[in-house]
Structure formats: structure tokens, C-alpha cells
Amino acid sequence: MAPRGRTGACEAGADLLNDTWAGADPELVRVAGEFGAGYVCSHTGGLAPRTDPHRPRYSDVVQDVITESPRPPNAQ
């Protein structure tokens, strides 16, 4: 995403960023923090961003999200 696109919604008054790319652009989290906006990160089930999974099934969706979510280098 272009740098202006990252901040434009918040500058226009948005208070929630919906990241449909599953954390592929870590700058979105930084922008949400900078503007005090909420952040929603969609889960792709390990698929590439913008992939449309067909009838996904999870035995434990919360654990799958935790396992598949990208982590910052300094996260524990």
C-alpha cells in the first residue's frame, strides 16, 4: 500500500483499520497506533493475501490465527 493510503483514512477520521492482507504490511499497525485507531487483521489461513479460501474449516480458529499471524522481530 502506498504511504499516503496508510494514513489517509485516519486523517479523514477513520477510527478502525481493517487489514484484509493479514499483516502483510506491518506499517498499518504502526499507523493505527499513531492515530489511536483500532486494528482488525483478517486471517488467511496461511494463504497468500487476497486469496479467497473456499469453505475453510478450523478445529481451533483462535489457535490457527495465533500460529499463522506474522510476528514482529522483537515479539515473544
Side-chain angles (χ1 to χ4, degrees):
M1 177 180 283
R4 176 75 177 124
R6 292 183 187 112
T7 59
C10 290
E11 288 172 344
D15 60 3
L16 179 70
L17 295 179
N18 184 14
D19 180 0
T20 59
W21 285 59
D25 182 356
E27 275 295 297
L28 290 177
V29 174
R30 187 196 62 73
V31 169
E34 177 184 335
F35 285 88
Y39 176 78
V40 175
C41 183
S42 298
H43 177 238
T44 62
L47 299 174
R50 299 287 189 200
T51 301
D52 188 16
H54 180 71
R55 295 185 185 172
R57 297 187 192 280
Y58 308 100
S59 59
D60 183 344
V61 69
V62 173
Q63 185 58 50
D64 287 349
V65 169
I66 291 168
T67 301
E68 297 295 331
S69 295
R71 299 268 192 276
N74 59 350
Q76 298 192 20

